[in-house]
Amino acid sequence: MSWTDERIDLLKQLWGDGLSASQIAAQLGGVTRNAVIGKVHRLKLDSRLKASAPLEAVVAPRAVRPVLVETMPDEVPAPRVLPVQAPTVAVITPAVAAAPRPVRPATLGATALKIEVEPEEQEEIVGRATVPHGPGEVVPISRNLTLVQLSDRTCKWPLGDPLSDEFRFCGNNAPDASPYCQYHARIAFQPVSERRRVR
């Protein structure tokens, strides 16, 4: 329904009386609440501030808070001097320096939640993908691409810690809309029989 002069006058009167947009829409008929709000906005009618109380009465004056000023005492105590212990120095003998360091196991994937296990126990971890490397199997060399260098046809296998600056992706060619190259797809997607055996 269109806005005639009579309907606009009635809208102005009802808006001035303090009716809500929904109530005005119901009385006018044929318009929605949003249509009433839009017309009020276009007509630039006054917003709904309560004009019954003056603005100064609405805003309560702030109570003046006393300011506390801290003064210095007449006598300032001397600072306490605490004894300093000499730092302990570890002396490394040539025999200790030449001792072999323990070998840490290699980690797979992200190292943020790294679990260090013995190599014998590593095969028993449930859910960890183990890919048998035969004597003639070739492990492809990764291209080490950053996130912005990846495309639809590159392998998105993560390499290293995602929180480090050296974090990269494999980047080798991925066949037929697969997210991984053939090597990493074998690690990521195990046959059903392999998954049952690992559990």
Side-chain angles (χ1 to χ4, degrees):
M1 182 168 272
S2 64
W3 288 98
T4 63
D5 290 337
E6 294 86 28
R7 290 172 64 85
I8 292 174
D9 290 338
L10 183 59
L11 168 69
K12 288 179 182 178
Q13 178 190 356
L14 295 174
W15 185 259
D17 291 344
L19 270 66
S20 70
S22 298
Q23 292 168 336
I24 295 171
Q27 283 195 10
L28 289 175
V31 291
T32 63
R33 171 185 165 272
N34 286 338
V36 171
I37 293 171
K39 192 64 176 177
V40 166
H41 180 70
R42 286 190 299 276
L43 291 173
K44 297 182 179 166
L45 297 179
D46 291 336
S47 61
R48 295 292 176 96
L49 288 179
K50 298 204 178 210
S52 61
L55 187 59
E56 290 103 17
V58 173
V59 178
R62 283 188 167 181
V64 178
R65 293 177 24 198
V67 178
L68 299 176
V69 178
E70 199 171 310
T71 59
M72 294 290 291
D74 292 338
E75 292 183 25
V76 178
R80 284 187 357 191
V81 177
L82 298 175
V84 178
Q85 296 179 353
T88 57
V89 178
V91 178
I92 299 175
T93 61
V96 173
R101 293 185 179 181
V103 178
R104 290 188 177 177
T107 57
L108 298 174
T111 58
L113 301 173
K114 180 173 68 172
I115 301 172
E116 293 189 16
V117 294
E118 297 298 324
E120 302 86 39
E121 298 173 5
Q122 192 166 4
E123 296 297 324
E124 298 173 10
I125 296 177
V126 177
R128 174 78 49 113
T130 57
V131 178
H133 296 293
E137 184 173 2
V138 177
V139 178
I141 297 175
S142 299
R143 292 175 51 199
N144 292 330
L145 299 180
T146 61
L147 181 64
V148 295
Q149 294 172 325
L150 292 177
S151 69
D152 294 340
R153 308 291 275 160
T154 56
C155 178
K156 291 149 188 83
W157 187 265
L159 302 173
D161 184 5
L163 300 177
S164 73
D165 292 337
E166 290 83 31
F167 180 68
R168 299 286 188 265
F169 294 91
C170 172
N172 287 330
N173 291 332
D176 299 328
S178 172
Y180 305 118
C181 63
Q182 289 179 348
Y183 176 76
H184 288 124
R186 285 189 325 166
I187 298 172
F189 306 114
Q190 298 178 11
V192 175
S193 61
E194 289 281 327
R195 280 186 271 158
R196 285 187 184 146
R197 192 176 71 209
V198 170
R199 289 185 190 168

